Amino acid sequence: MTIGIWVLGDQLNLQQAALAGADPSIARVLLLESSSVVERRAYHAQKLVLVWSAMRHFAADLRAQGWTVDYLETERFSSALGEWVEHHGIQELHVMEPVDRGFRAAIERLSLPLPVHWIANNAFLWSREAFAAWATPYKQLRMELFYREGRKRFGVLLDEDGEPLGGQWNYDQENRKPPTKGLSGPEPLWFEPDATTAAVIEKVSALQERQGLPGSPEPFRWAVTREQALAVLDHFIATRLPGFGPFQDAMVSGEPTLWHALLSPYLNLGLLHPLEVIQRLETEGLAQQVPLAGLEGVIRQILGWREYTHGLYHWFGEDYASVNHFEANAPLPSWFEALGGSGLRCLDTVFGEIKATGYAHHIQRLMLLANYGLLAGLDPQALTAWFHRMFIDGYDWVMLTNVLGMGVFADGGRLASKPYAASGNYIKRMSNYCKGCSYDVKQRTGPKACPFNSLYWDFLARHEPELKRNHRMGLVMKQLSKLPEEELAAIRSTAANHRALAAAGSN
Ligand code: SF4
C-alpha cells in the first residue's frame, strides 16, 4: 500500500500531524509549487520567494530524513496532483487539515479517485474543538479572557500558586511609549540567499514581469529554513527581547523593525511551533531578567492574539468574510496597489517598507493602514484582500479577523469592543512621520489639513447615533458634540475633498 502525504506550503514542519504518524517506508511525500496562485491573488514578490524557497528547502530536509519526496513545479495543482496519484499508484492521500478554509474545499472539489484522510492540524496550541469548547458559554468573547485561560492551560508566566507572575495578567500600559529622538532598534538577523533561493528569485522575477506582482523580490533576506528561523529566535532573545516592551507601539521612519520579533512569517509557515517559541521566551527571558512587561507583551502576541484570531477564524465561520457593518464601499486608492504616492508621509513611509520586504509591524498595520481604511470608508473586503497579498505573513486566517474585526470593525464588535479610530494626533504622538509631511497635523480643515484629522471627525459624525451607544467611545463622542456646527461642516467638507482625491486615483 502506498500512502501519499501532501504537505502544503504552510505546513513545513517535520512534526506536522500528517508526517508525524506516518511510516516513511510506505509513504511518498508531495510538495506542489503551483504558479497559478498568482492568478487569483497577485502576491507580494517577497512572499512568493519566501514560501517557495522554504518549501524547496523543506523538501531537501525531508529527503535527508529518509523520506521519498516529489517536489513538483506546476502551473495548476489540480492536474499535477491527479497525475502524481496515478503515476505512483497512490492508494490513500493524507493531508494535514489546512488552516485556510478555502483550500480544503478546493481539494474536495477535485473528487480524487482515492480516499483522502484529513489529519487534525497540530500547528496551533488550541485545536478548533478546544477553542469552540472555550467560546461556547460566552455571549461576548474577549481576547483578555482567552489569553488568561491560555496562560493557565499551558502553564505560562505563572507563580507557584497558579497566579500571574508579578501579580498582573497584562502590562500593556507600560508598553506604549512614544518614540524618543533618534530611537533605533538593534540590527535584525538577515540572510543572504543561497542557490535554492536565488533560483526562486529568478522565477518570481520572471513571473513579476509577466503578471505585474507588487513589491521587489530583491534584496531578499528572510529565513527560509527551520535552522535559520531558530537562529532568528535565538537572535531575538539575545538582542531584541530585553528592549521589546516599551517601544512596541512606536513608529519611526527608517526603523521598520525596531525591537519587533520578526517571527510571524516563520510561525505561519510552520518552521517554528508556537509552543516551542513561547517556552523558550519564558525560560530564557526569566533567566535574563527581561522586564516582565516586555516578556508578557511578546508572549501575549503569540499565546493570546495569534491563537485567538486563529480560533475565531474557525469559530465565526464562512459568513464572517463578507461582514460590512458600516456599509463601507469606497475602492482602495491606487497608492495601495502602487505601494506609494499618497502624499501622506506616514502612509508613504510604511508603503515603502512593505514594498521592500512585505513587512510592517502591528501598529503600522492597525493604526495607520487599517485606521485609514476605517476612517475613509474603504471596502473592507478589498482592504482585507490587499493585506493578504501584501504581507509576508498574510494568510486568510490571519487577515479576516485582524483586518475585518480589529482593523475596521466590519463585524460590528464581535472581535473588538470599539472601532480603533484615531486622528493625526495619535500618529504624531507615536511616530516621527508628521515632521516633513506636506500636510499639517494640527489642522483639520482646508487643503493642508492632515487627512487623518478630517476623516476622523467625519467618521465619528457619520456614525454618531451608533457610536454614542458604545461606552468606550463616550469621551470622543462628547468632544464631537461640542464642535461648533460650522466647524464640523468645514471638517466634513475637507474630508469629502480628500475622499474625492483618493477616489480619483482608485483602482
Ligand atoms: Fe500622516 Fe497627517 Fe502626520 Fe502627515 S500630518 S504624517 S498625513 S498623520
Side-chain angles (χ1 to χ4, degrees), residues 31-141:
L31 286 105
L32 274 177
E33 185 180 303
S34 159
S35 44
S36 64
V37 290
V38 298
E39 287 168 14
R40 211 157 44 91
R41 285 198 179 99
Y43 286 110
H44 192 295
Q46 295 247 333
K47 185 172 183 176
L48 285 176
V49 176
L50 173 73
V51 176
W52 288 347
S53 177
M55 285 172 67
R56 292 183 189 194
H57 282 94
F58 186 66
D61 286 351
L62 282 169
R63 287 189 188 110
Q65 297 281 322
W67 292 90
T68 305
V69 180
D70 299 305
Y71 191 97
L72 304 181
E73 285 183 64
T74 170
E75 192 54 34
R76 293 189 189 279
F77 79 81
S78 47
S79 46
L81 180 63
E83 281 161 26
W84 176 77
V85 163
E86 202 183 313
H87 184 76
H88 295 289
I90 305 292
Q91 289 150 302
E92 243 181 46
L93 184 64
H94 292 197
V95 189
M96 182 166 86
E97 184 81 49
V99 186
D100 282 357
R101 213 174 352 251
F103 209 76
R104 174 165 172 170
I107 299 171
E108 282 172 341
R109 275 199 299 276
L110 298 178
S111 305
L112 293 166
L114 77 173
V116 180
H117 292 277
W118 300 100
I119 322 274
N121 189 301
N122 65 353
F124 291 83
L125 277 72
W126 287 73
S127 68
R128 294 168 205 183
E129 295 71 30
F131 187 91
W134 171 80
T136 300
Y138 290 103
K139 240 175 145 178
Q140 178 73 63
L141 301 178

Side-chain angles (χ1 to χ4, degrees), residues 344-346 424 427 433-434 437 439-441 450-452:
L344 285 75
R345 188 162 182 259
C346 50
I427 299 164
Y433 296 148
C434 299
C437 179
Y439 292 104
D440 182 351
V441 74
C450 166
F452 277 94

Side-chain angles (χ1 to χ4, degrees), residues 314-332:
H314 292 289
W315 175 248
F316 286 156
E318 221 160 310
D319 294 348
Y320 192 78
S322 53
V323 292
N324 189 353
H325 179 70
F326 290 127
E327 297 178 4
N329 59 12
L332 299 197

Side-chain angles (χ1 to χ4, degrees), residues 153-201:
R153 197 170 283 207
F154 297 99
V156 179
L157 294 180
L158 300 177
D159 64 19
E160 56 275 14
D161 300 322
E163 295 300 321
L165 222 52
Q168 269 174 246
W169 290 103
N170 185 323
Y171 293 87
D172 218 16
Q173 289 300 340
E174 295 175 36
N175 292 335
R176 292 185 183 142
K177 290 204 185 345
T180 48
K181 201 161 183 252
L183 185 71
S184 112
E187 192 52 33
L189 181 63
W190 295 117
F191 302 88
E192 284 303 314
D194 63 5
T196 302
T197 303
V200 180
I201 290 173

